[in-house]
Amino acid sequence: MRFNHVALRVKDIDKMLEFYCHGMGFSEAFRINNDDGSLRIVYVHISDNQFLELCLGGQNKSVFDDLYSVGTRHICFTVDDLEKIKKEMEERGVKFDSDILKTRDHNLNVWLFDPDGNKLEIVQTMPESPQAKFEKV
């Protein structure tokens, strides 16, 4: 079993596609329409068989308390060179919520929000991290 996609209900598909495709550098994979021909879902390709499913029709963002709410806390993307990717994204107009941080698990990460306020993390897995050590087993 492998991870395939995360689905987000979105308020403005054009803003979200601008952010994820232009800002983050992903590409639109395909669209799914309703029976009447109207747009229902846009899939954004992340990497091999991994997608972000953007579902139209969102109206209100639920209030989320990062310390206490149950549910999805953030979506994380992995890169090989975080400093390079962050710089490229900033040049494309993406705003970050943090500088590059070294976390307790020895990885490098940075935080940001998409246009609908979903919390995102971008991480560079370091060789001394428990994640890297686990993958070598």
Side-chain angles (χ1 to χ4, degrees):
M1 191 175 301
R2 295 182 310 269
F3 185 78
N4 180 264
H5 73 269
V6 170
L8 300 176
R9 172 98 38 220
V10 304
K11 192 171 194 172
D12 185 326
I13 190 65
D14 293 326
K15 282 184 182 175
M16 294 296 268
L17 287 171
E18 173 69 17
F19 178 82
Y20 283 106
C21 294
H22 175 73
M24 292 193 69
F26 301 132
S27 59
E28 182 177 323
F30 57 90
R31 294 175 176 225
I32 297 175
N33 292 325
N34 293 307
D35 291 341
D36 67 3
S38 63
L39 185 59
R40 180 180 182 98
I41 296 170
V42 178
Y43 272 77
V44 175
H45 184 248
I46 306 301
S47 64
D48 294 341
N49 204 32
Q50 294 179 342
F51 301 90
L52 188 60
E53 179 183 335
L54 303 178
C55 305
L56 280 72
Q59 297 298 318
N60 301 312
K61 174 104 173 115
S62 58
V63 176
F64 181 78
D65 180 331
D66 203 26
L67 294 176
Y68 301 106
S69 291
V70 174
T72 302
R73 188 166 176 210
H74 64 268
I75 300 169
C76 183
F77 301 95
T78 302
V79 298
D80 293 329
D81 185 340
L82 183 55
E83 190 172 325
K84 176 181 177 243
I85 294 296
K86 183 177 185 284
K87 182 179 177 189
E88 290 173 355
M89 288 173 63
E90 287 173 327
E91 289 170 356
R92 293 190 299 263
V94 173
K95 305 285 186 224
F96 287 83
D97 196 52
S98 75
D99 292 324
I100 294 176
L101 308 168
K102 185 161 188 173
T103 56
R104 290 186 187 113
D105 59 4
H106 309 291
N107 290 320
L108 300 177
N109 75 359
V110 68
W111 297 95
L112 64 155
F113 293 88
D114 73 12
D116 277 354
N118 296 295
K119 191 172 184 178
L120 308 176
E121 175 185 20
I122 302 175
V123 67
Q124 179 178 338
T125 304
M126 304 306 285
E128 65 273 17
S129 74
Q131 293 93 334
K133 290 176 181 177
F134 178 83
E135 290 296 328
K136 288 182 181 178
V137 174

